[in-house]
Each structure stands twice: as C-alpha cells, then as structure tokens.
C-alpha cells in the first residue's frame, strides 16, 4: 500500500483543507487531554512552513447532525492556537456563504478551523453535496485523522473525490508500521491477541494467521479455545456460540504451521472483582468455581521467550483483567517484553494502548497506534475508506 503523502505535495501559496482528529476529552469547556492536538502539529506546522494557508476540520463528540453549541469547536480552537503558537480563526459554521467569505478573506499562512463537521448529517452520510461544499474551500486535501479512517464520511473520504489528496504524517506512520505486518513482516513475526471476546477478535486472528509464525491467544477469549481443546475452565468467560469458530481457527493455524500459544497456567479469582486475591493455578485446568483472570507465570515466560526472538511483534488486547492490580502482571510483563524487544513492535487497540500508557512504556514501542477501531480494522485486513482515498 503506497500513499500520496504531504512530502510530495506542492502546497506553497495554496489553500489546504486538512482533516485532523480533534475529538478530545472536554470538561467544563476546557480540553483535559491534548494528546490528539499535539499529534496533529507536525503535519500542521509542516504545511505552514511550506507556505500553505490552512482550513482545518474535525468532528467532536456526537452532535448527531445538529448545530449543538455543546459540541462547538470553540474550546478546541483555543487550545489548538496555544499549542500551535499562532492565532486560529474559528469559522462561524462548517459550510455556507459566510464560511466561504471567511475562507476568501484568509491571508497567506493563516489558519481557519471549521466548526464541528458533525453539525451536518451529510458528514456521516457521506453526502456528495456536503463533501463538495467542504472541498470548495481548498485546492488540496490532506487527511491526518487515522482514528476515523475506517469511516467513509464526507470529511474523511467524500472530499477526496474532488481534490488532490495526501496523507499527513500520522497516517503515513500508521501505514508504514502496520502495512508490512499484513504483507511481508520481518520474521519471526509474533502476534499477541487478547482482550475479552473471541467475537471481536476472530477477524484479526484470521488475518494475522496468514503472515505470523507464532500467535499468542490470551485474555478472556483464551478460555473458549481451551474449552474446545477439552480443558476445564471453571467459571471463566466463554462464548458458546464461538466454539466452532475457535475449533476451526485452531485447525487452520495447524495446517499453516503457525504455532499457537494458549495459557498453560493461570491467575484465578473466586469472583470478578477488584479486591479478589489472585490464586496461581499451576496447571492448564481451572478448578470448578474459579475464574481465569490473567495468564500465569509459565505462560508469561512462554510469551516473553517468543517476543525476545521476534523481528516483528504486534499486540492487540490485554492478557488479563489489567484494570485490577491483582491481575495486571501478565499484561505488564508482556508489555515490558515488547519494550525490550529489538525487533519492530506495534501496539494497537484502545485498552492495549491504555495499558502501555498506564505502564509508561509508550516511548519504548516502535509504533503505538492512534486509532482503536481503525487499527483493529486495519489489522483485520479491511480496506479503510479514508486510507484508500490516499493511495497512489
Ligand atoms: P483492546 O481495546 O485492546 O482491543 P479489548 O477491548 O478486546 O482490548 O479487551 C479489553 C478488556 O478485556 C479489558 O477490559 C480486560 O479487563 C478484559 N479482559 C482481559 N482478560 C480477561 C479475562 N480473563 N476475563 C475477562 N475479561 C478480560
Ligand atoms: Mg477495548
């Protein structure tokens, strides 16, 4: 997958329409976490350095196609301006004559932030007229909102039909690190998949089994696999209706010669709670009444040994209920193994990324994906409409 990127676009003196992800947390009208604003700055600053004038756009929250002032971009414009170190003009609306006049009045190098694109139903419907109205503001379109690239919305996909389209640095990096995992990963390639449910992870397992050498199945989803292998799983999470899927996945992995690491021991609790003490079960068999809540020390060692030898590793989904301190060890130790791995390491998925941040290891991972749903769909091998629009 080769994208058109802003490195190749001549934007001097041009008006550039830039889609960013400024869907930030807000409390009492103040941005409480500016990670996403900071993440967009390299692209924004690069375009300004090259002499572009910017029309920036994003969604924020779920105003459901209505102009709801609660979801105005005003507080975000303020924070963006502070971070950027120059004025940001907030547009009076998203589209329309008044905004058109504001765009016309922009001087070279100025930055205009459109109002919340989801103030119009045409955004999520990917309405061509709405997309055309947005596109009319720019000469060039740049998308750097990876987190919404799995949605074919007007600002993420629609506008690309009317303007030359380029990827910003964030999207470029996502594709640079995740693309090879599906095509030609450096080997050995280890995929570590966990989290709560088989149903939400089966597609990613089926995608990665095509290119990986070893696949680790941990977290709550592991017990459905253990049960179909005939093991006792006590009161652990199980998805009855996914047993056939689990069985055929294991057969497929075997046929492909991919080695599957499932838990060989466990940390169990008597009940699913924060205060339940962890009991180490030094066997694959879980006693009646107990719940498997983390992988045990022998399993941790198996996973770490595989990671140590790997040239590439992808990790999606925690190994246990890491939110409970008593059951965080598996996730923490595997996270540390990734941090110490000399190969390329990629972490994607909302809770896995939260775990990496909680353990303060993000800067030791080659790539921490900025999209939850988008990175999962990417790893599933799905075509992301917002990225397809930027392909050469
Ligand atoms: P991600 O967001 O990284 O893709 P998921 O949303 O699939 O991950 O899964 C994360 C959730 O899985 C966490 O809230 C975690 O507590 C839960 N989980 C992990 N192991 C278990 C387990 N053994 N039993 C129940 N839930 C688990
Ligand atoms: Mg999650």
């Amino acid at each position: 997958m080769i994208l058109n990127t802003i490195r190749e676009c001549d934007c001097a003196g041009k008006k550039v329409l830039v889609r960013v992800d400024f869907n930030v947390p807000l409390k009492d009208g103040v941005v409480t976490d500016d990670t996403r604003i900071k993440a967009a700055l390299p692209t924004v600053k690069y375009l300004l350095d090259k002499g572009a004038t910017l029309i920036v756009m994003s969604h924020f929250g779920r105003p459901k196609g209505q102009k709801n002032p609660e979801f105005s971009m005003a507080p975000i414009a303020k924070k963006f301006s502070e971070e950027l170190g120059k004025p940001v003009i907030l547009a009076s609306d998203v589209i329309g004559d008044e905004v058109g006049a504001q765009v016309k009045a922009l001087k070279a190098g100025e930055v205009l932030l459109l109002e919340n694109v989801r103030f119009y139903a045409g955004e999520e419907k990917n309405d061509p007229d709405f997309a055309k109205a947005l596109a009319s503001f720019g000469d060039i379109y740049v998308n750097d909102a990876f987190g919404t690239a799995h949605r074919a919305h007007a600002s993420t996909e629609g506008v690309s039909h009317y303007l030359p389209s380029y990827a910003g640095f964030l999207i470029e990096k996502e594709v640079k690190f995740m693309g090879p995992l599906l095509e030609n990963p450096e080997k050995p390639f280890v995929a570590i998949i966990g989290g709560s449910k088989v149903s939400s992870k089966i597609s990613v397992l089926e995608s990665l089994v095509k290119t990986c050498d070893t696949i680790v199945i941990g977290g709550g989803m592991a017990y459905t696999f253990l049960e179909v292998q005939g093991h006792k799983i006590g009161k652990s999470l199980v998805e009855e209706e996914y047993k056939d899927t689990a069985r055929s996945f294991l057969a497929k992995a075997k046929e492909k010669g991919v080695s599957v690491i499932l838990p060989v021991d466990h940390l169990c609790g008597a009940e699913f709670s924060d205060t339940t003490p962890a009991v180490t079960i030094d066997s694959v068999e879980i006693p009646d009444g107990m719940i498997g809540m983390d992988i045990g020390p022998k399993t941790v060692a198996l996973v770490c040994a595989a990671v140590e030898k790997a040239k590439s590793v992808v990790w999606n989904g925690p190994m246990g209920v890491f939110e409970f301190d008593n059951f965080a060890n598996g996730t923490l130790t595997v996270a540390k193994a990734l941090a110490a791995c000399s190969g390329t390491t990629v972490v994607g998925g909302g809770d896995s990324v939260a775990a990496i941040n909680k353990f303060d290891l993000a800067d030791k991972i080659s790539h921490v994906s900025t999209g939850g749903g988008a990175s999962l769909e990417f790893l599933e091998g799905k075509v992301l409409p917002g990225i397809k629009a930027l392909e050469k």
Side-chain angles (χ1 to χ4, degrees), residues 16 66-67 70 196 249 260 311-312 319 350:
V16 181
Q66 305 286 326
K67 281 184 210 172
E70 207 187 307
S196 49
F249 175 79
V260 176
K311 285 265 165 45
S312 38
M319 296 291 96

Side-chain angles (χ1 to χ4, degrees), residues 132-193:
K132 251 184 244 172
L134 290 172
S136 73
F137 298 146
D139 307 306
I140 289 171
Y141 167 62
V142 170
N143 188 2
D144 213 18
F146 181 73
T148 45
H150 57 318
R151 309 273 182 235
H153 293 170
S155 69
T156 61
E157 197 274 343
V159 289
S160 73
H161 296 281
Y162 309 106
L163 293 173
S165 304
Y166 299 87
F169 294 130
L170 271 183
I171 286 194
E172 182 190 34
K173 184 168 181 256
E174 295 280 357
V175 172
K176 179 181 146 205
F177 279 96
M178 294 210 287
L181 301 178
L182 305 179
E183 289 159 11
N184 52 347
E186 275 202 79
K187 301 225 155 199
F189 172 33
V190 177
I192 306 172
I193 308 299

Side-chain angles (χ1 to χ4, degrees), residues 194-197 200-201 218-221 223 236-237 267 272 291-295 315-324 331 348-354 372 376:
S196 49
K197 290 188 168 166
S200 62
K201 295 297 164 73
M221 61 189 274
Y223 306 104
S236 308
L237 204 64
L267 296 190
F272 195 85
I291 308 168
M293 287 163 71
D294 194 9
I295 54 176
W315 179 31
N316 172 276
M319 296 291 96
V321 189
F322 75 100
E323 299 94 335
F324 300 167
T331 303
D351 292 288
S352 329
V353 171
L376 191 63

